[in-house]
Amino acid sequence: MMAGGASDLSDGGRAERFKALALPHLDDVYTLARYLLRSASDADDAVQECYLRAFRHFDTFRGGPVKPWLMAILRNVCHAAYAGSARLVFTADGADESQAAPIWREHGDTPEQALLRRNDSDTMRRLIGELPAEFREVIVLREINDLSYRDIATVIEAPIGTVMSRLARARGLLREAWMAAEGDGEAP
Amino acid sequence: MNCDEASILMHALIDGELDAGHARELETHIATCAGCAARLREFHELRKMMTLAGLRYTAPVTLRASIEGKLPAPPAAASRRSVIKGFAAGAALSAIAASGLLVMVARRDDDRRVLGEVVSAHLRSLQAQHLTDVVSTDRHTVKPWFNGRLDVAPPVAELTAQGFTLLGGRLDYVDAKPVAAIVYRRRVHIINLFCAPAPGSANSKATMESLHGFNVRRWSENGLNLWAVSDINADELMEFGEKFEAALKQ
């Protein structure tokens, strides 16, 4: 597999190598942080801490996929920093939604379609944010970060069976919430 | 299979993580259970909707810049002069590395070329939707399939209990010669085991190499050259090879 910590390289080479491996996953790590912490500024802090921590531990990284390794570190950062506060459980995120450019802008929609999509996107983000943390993280890791069950199991330090049953529960809860939101006339 | 089991396993099916045996059982259940069939459709729709909604966030440019700035500045980047010095040192290092590489390449040119070919064959098998010519978890189906297609009978072991599921076999080409590819799965990872006839070759112990992020465990026995190729980590691939060899000895 790829050489791990690359301790044979100079510091410069080591930092460059780390950047080349880890920075392409920045949007993924940031996305997970946004959903876990539900605050743009907390997500900024957590992602920054995650990358610095990952760099400090880069020598012990033994190759393999980088994304789950970063995700696991981010999750630990989030738990360590915010476990005490209610962040991982409650609080709404939404006022600062405009800071991050949503992907839907990239679709060639008419303004009406864009508005519908925006509504869907906002509603779904909110509904995911309202899921209990243990269900929220598996659904984000699976549906948005596109991790395999095995990688999710590594990140959340649980057996694959747990990943599967939590995903089943998460999708069930999300589907109910979505149908309820639709019933309220909130979603198209 | 009952509805409780199906309600969990259908998510593995949606995610493409269900093994062939369970997938068949689940499909049989769904064909006869309207409730589960409806639920499966709803979850497919939910998934599609989530994909369309675009739920990813993009990291602010300032965050990226801040991380890059906070990573310990490499000494080479401290000043313009040291950057140049860094380049010089880098070039010298590359020169040494390159000359070492040259010796290695010259000596092992042939091995490396074949290594490159088995990794390419592994990649092709994943990309071209042509993983298996014969689909079966039963070695008594997979092994005879090669009769008349190859002049040797490739060894096929069932290792499901050890965590490596036999998926089937395929005829492939390495070094312009037909070889047997026995396909296994470890969780979501595919292992291709290539077997090429090498009459008269001595048995050789396993070596582990890697290329383009894939690990290759290579060994020879009973007049066959074998390469196990996968993206699973080297330890697991080594374990696969050991289990495979042990199973054949039984």
Side-chain angles (χ1 to χ4, degrees):
Chain A
M1 210 63 212
M2 291 181 282
S7 50
D8 53 328
L9 293 176
S10 65
D11 275 0
R14 189 170 163 269
E16 287 311 303
R17 195 176 138 69
F18 174 75
K19 283 186 202 170
L21 280 176
L23 280 179
H25 301 291
L26 184 61
D27 285 345
D28 270 307
V29 175
Y30 180 73
T31 296
L32 180 63
R34 284 294 296 262
Y35 282 103
L36 288 186
L37 299 172
R38 290 180 292 200
S39 146
S41 60
D42 286 350
D44 272 17
D45 293 347
V47 170
Q48 187 156 303
E49 172 58 24
C50 163
Y51 271 79
L52 297 183
R53 206 180 278 190
F55 182 69
R56 280 201 298 277
H57 294 221
F58 191 39
D59 284 330
T60 58
F61 175 61
R62 292 197 47 225
V66 178
K67 193 155 100 173
W69 177 64
L70 287 169
M71 298 294 193
I73 296 173
L74 178 82
R75 186 173 175 273
N76 287 337
V77 168
C78 292
H79 279 250
Y82 305 100
S85 78
R87 280 282 183 219
L88 284 175
V89 192
F90 286 115
T91 74
D93 180 25
D96 45 18
E97 206 69 23
S98 55
Q99 284 190 7
I103 282 274
W104 55 262
R105 284 186 207 283
E106 289 169 15
H107 296 277
D109 291 339
T110 65
E112 291 78 16
Q113 284 170 326
L115 188 66
L116 286 181
R117 193 185 291 284
R118 166 107 221 224
N119 285 343
D120 275 4
S121 172
D122 287 353
T123 306
M124 191 51 93
R125 283 180 179 184
R126 184 174 59 72
L127 296 178
I128 294 171
E130 285 167 1
L131 290 174
E134 74 262 37
F135 301 124
R136 196 187 329 148
E137 63 184 4
V138 292
I139 202 127
V140 173
L141 287 167
R142 176 64 218 138
E143 300 285 24
I144 308 177
N145 293 136
D146 201 28
L147 257 53
S148 68
Y149 283 14
R150 184 203 173 184
D151 287 345
I152 297 172
T154 310
V155 174
I156 70 168
E157 296 173 273
I160 288 186
T162 307
V163 172
M164 206 188 298
S165 60
R166 280 196 196 160
L167 253 180
R169 184 102 175 87
R171 286 196 178 123
L173 288 171
L174 199 56
R175 191 180 69 83
E176 280 167 30
W178 176 255
M179 280 161 50
E182 252 186 334
D184 293 344
E186 191 179 336
Chain B
M1 182 175 297
N2 61 36
C3 292
D4 282 348
E5 288 167 326
S7 71
I8 302 281
L9 288 181
M10 69 172 64
H11 293 277
L13 183 76
I14 291 171
D15 293 319
E17 301 249 3
L18 203 56
D19 64 87
H22 279 104
R24 265 197 301 276
E25 277 182 49
L26 180 61
E27 276 156 13
T28 311
H29 173 81
I30 282 168
T32 58
C33 176
C36 284
R39 220 170 310 158
L40 181 64
R41 265 199 309 279
E42 284 168 2
F43 283 124
H44 269 302
E45 272 164 32
L46 177 73
R47 180 136 210 243
K48 196 168 137 202
M49 203 249 119
M50 289 183 76
T51 310
L52 287 175
L55 300 171
R56 283 168 63 88
Y57 288 93
T58 306
V61 188
T62 48
L63 174 62
R64 186 180 294 264
S66 161
I67 290 171
E68 292 205 55
K70 283 204 171 134
L71 284 176
S79 72
R80 198 172 287 261
R81 181 183 302 189
S82 57
V83 167
I84 292 167
K85 225 158 54 184
F87 274 132
L93 204 67
S94 312
I96 296 167
S99 64
L101 215 61
L102 221 61
V103 174
M104 196 180 83
V105 166
R107 198 178 60 220
R108 304 179 55 206
D109 196 30
D110 212 42
D111 277 359
R112 290 301 286 187
R113 188 175 49 76
V114 173
L115 186 70
E117 286 208 15
V118 294
V119 169
S120 299
H122 174 75
L123 275 169
R124 266 200 316 275
S125 77
L126 302 180
Q127 286 165 356
Q129 303 288 311
H130 181 204
L131 190 57
T132 46
D133 290 321
V134 51
V135 184
S136 176
T137 53
D138 179 2
R139 71 188 182 93
H140 299 296
T141 308
V142 176
K143 194 178 167 92
W145 182 85
F146 288 101
N147 281 346
R149 292 181 168 89
L150 277 177
D151 32 359
V152 292
V156 181
E158 276 174 38
L159 300 168
T160 310
Q162 288 93 326
F164 301 95
T165 312
L166 177 64
L167 295 183
R170 173 181 87 250
L171 194 64
D172 211 319
Y173 288 86
V174 167
D175 208 13
K177 291 183 201 75
V179 299
I182 318 293
V183 186
Y184 289 88
R185 185 173 60 191
R186 172 72 155 184
R187 294 183 296 269
V188 296
H189 302 269
I190 296 295
I191 301 169
N192 266 294
L193 176 66
F194 296 99
C195 311
S201 77
N203 286 6
S204 74
K205 281 235 155 100
T207 56
M208 186 64 78
E209 294 181 83
S210 79
L211 189 70
H212 306 320
F214 293 92
N215 287 315
V216 182
R217 183 191 195 265
R218 185 193 180 291
W219 73 103
S220 300
E221 61 181 21
N222 301 331
L224 287 171
N225 287 333
L226 297 111
W227 299 264
V229 189
S230 181
D231 59 339
I232 58 174
N233 65 52
D235 292 345
E236 281 187 291
L237 193 62
M238 199 45 115
E239 181 195 337
F240 167 77
E242 285 160 6
K243 297 262 163 74
F244 185 88
E245 289 183 80
L248 294 185
K249 291 201 177 84
Q250 279 168 12

